[in-house]
Amino acid sequence: MKTLPLFLTEEHPCSYLEGELARSVFVHPSCTMTPLLYGRLMEQGFRRSGDDVYKPYCQHCSACIPVRLAVFEFKQNRSQKRCWEKNSATQVQIKPAVFEQAHYEMYLRYQTIRHTDGDMARSSPDDYLGFLSSSWCNTQFVEFSINGRLAGIAVVDLFDNAWSAVYTFFEPEFSGYGLGVYAVLWQIEQAKFEHREFLYLGYWIQACKKMAYKSNYQPLQLLLNKQWTEKYA
């Protein structure tokens, strides 16, 4: 891969670990990003937020570990099987990553309940779509409906050999269906169906409950010392 222009952010309070300082390295906006290039960067631990491509580059912490799942090796555990069965009647519709008012309003309700300490519950329509969609990536919004009602959205990036789980949000009143878990399970099964090899799950942070759940999907592959290594629970 050719050398890419990068820039490093200033340190700021970490969003995941209390008392820690964080910073990230970003691919400079002058670089023309493509799905092929981003797919190769994901293999090196990068992620996207909107059109921006970054990875953690903290001076005194290495808790954020990139993780992915080899979908054909995955086996559901007991609780995942229950979740899959509970959602047997959940309807799925794949849509383009464009603004829909119903999606946006559900996103705000989800943020209000789940992330009361952040600013995401006050996101404008441009903030919302600028975070989840991308002008250069092949992104889809996957709708989950229960009893004829829109219940959740999974945002997914698609690549030749992989899918990348970007974000999932759902109506708080449907929290009993485990839609966060079901969204990952559905992506695994759909990636298998489309003969993709991996599902990228972002960063795993063992000490952060919001991020540690990813170890429930086994065998999980971690990027350690520039090598992908399987981790078993």
Side-chain angles (χ1 to χ4, degrees), residues 132-153:
L132 296 177
S133 68
S134 168
S135 63
W136 49 260
C137 199
N138 183 11
T139 303
Q140 295 181 335
F141 286 178
V142 182
E143 287 188 351
F144 300 104
S145 297
I146 297 173
N147 299 326
R149 294 182 56 198
L150 178 63
I153 301 286

Side-chain angles (χ1 to χ4, degrees):
M1 184 185 300
K2 66 180 181 179
T3 301
L4 294 177
L6 304 172
F7 70 91
L8 189 63
T9 67
E10 297 290 336
E11 288 188 324
H12 55 274
C14 179
S15 302
Y16 301 108
L17 299 177
E18 187 175 355
E20 294 288 347
L21 293 175
R23 64 179 183 176
S24 300
V25 61
F26 279 79
V27 176
H28 196 276
S30 64
C31 175
T32 301
M33 190 59 58
T34 65
L36 178 61
L37 176 56
Y38 178 50
R40 295 174 68 183
L41 288 170
M42 280 201 308
E43 294 175 354
Q44 300 179 33
F46 282 81
R47 295 287 288 175
R48 78 163 182 86
S49 177
D51 282 336
D52 296 325
V53 177
Y54 72 97
K55 70 176 178 179
Y57 199 83
C58 303
Q59 191 169 4
H60 303 294
C61 179
S62 57
C64 293
I65 300 175
V67 292
R68 70 185 186 186
L69 193 68
V71 296
F72 288 99
E73 298 178 16
F74 171 74
K75 303 293 182 186
Q76 293 182 5
N77 61 29
R78 188 174 300 175
S79 64
Q80 289 162 351
K81 288 178 180 177
R82 288 197 297 268
C83 179
W84 186 259
E85 291 168 0
K86 188 165 190 175
N87 284 278
S88 60
T90 296
Q91 295 178 313
V92 181
Q93 183 175 4
I94 300 173
K95 289 191 169 183
V98 298
F99 182 84
E100 292 193 26
Q101 188 69 28
H103 296 176
Y104 170 63
E105 292 176 358
M106 180 170 63
Y107 175 83
L108 295 183
R109 288 190 290 271
Y110 175 83
Q111 298 298 339
T112 298
I113 297 297
R114 289 297 182 109
H115 301 288
T116 56
D117 55 345
D119 295 328
M120 297 174 77
R122 295 183 290 276
S123 296
S124 68
D126 287 342
D127 293 334
Y128 154 77
L129 205 59
F131 166 49
L132 296 177
S133 68
S134 168
S135 63
W136 49 260
C137 199
N138 183 11
T139 303
Q140 295 181 335
F141 286 178
V142 182
E143 287 188 351
F144 300 104
S145 297
I146 297 173
N147 299 326
R149 294 182 56 198
L150 178 63
I153 301 286
V155 183
V156 187
D157 290 341
L158 309 184
F159 303 90
D160 288 343
N161 76 324
W163 278 21
S164 176
V166 178
Y167 200 74
T168 298
F169 56 97
F170 51 84
E171 286 287 4
E173 67 179 278
F174 289 106
S175 59
Y177 282 82
L179 286 174
V181 174
Y182 181 68
V184 176
L185 298 177
W186 182 88
Q187 288 171 70
I188 292 168
E189 293 305 313
Q190 192 67 16
K192 287 181 185 178
F193 178 76
E194 297 192 2
H195 303 288
R196 303 307 199 265
E197 186 175 2
F198 299 110
L199 175 64
Y200 285 82
L201 294 174
Y203 299 110
W204 175 72
I205 305 174
Q206 187 172 18
C208 176
K209 185 177 180 181
K210 292 179 183 178
M211 307 294 275
Y213 74 90
K214 297 172 186 182
S215 61
N216 293 330
Y217 301 90
Q218 293 290 325
L220 195 65
Q221 294 186 2
L222 282 63
L223 184 61
L224 300 170
N225 299 318
K226 300 183 179 180
Q227 297 290 326
W228 287 99
T229 305
E230 285 191 350
K231 175 193 185 309
Y232 290 84

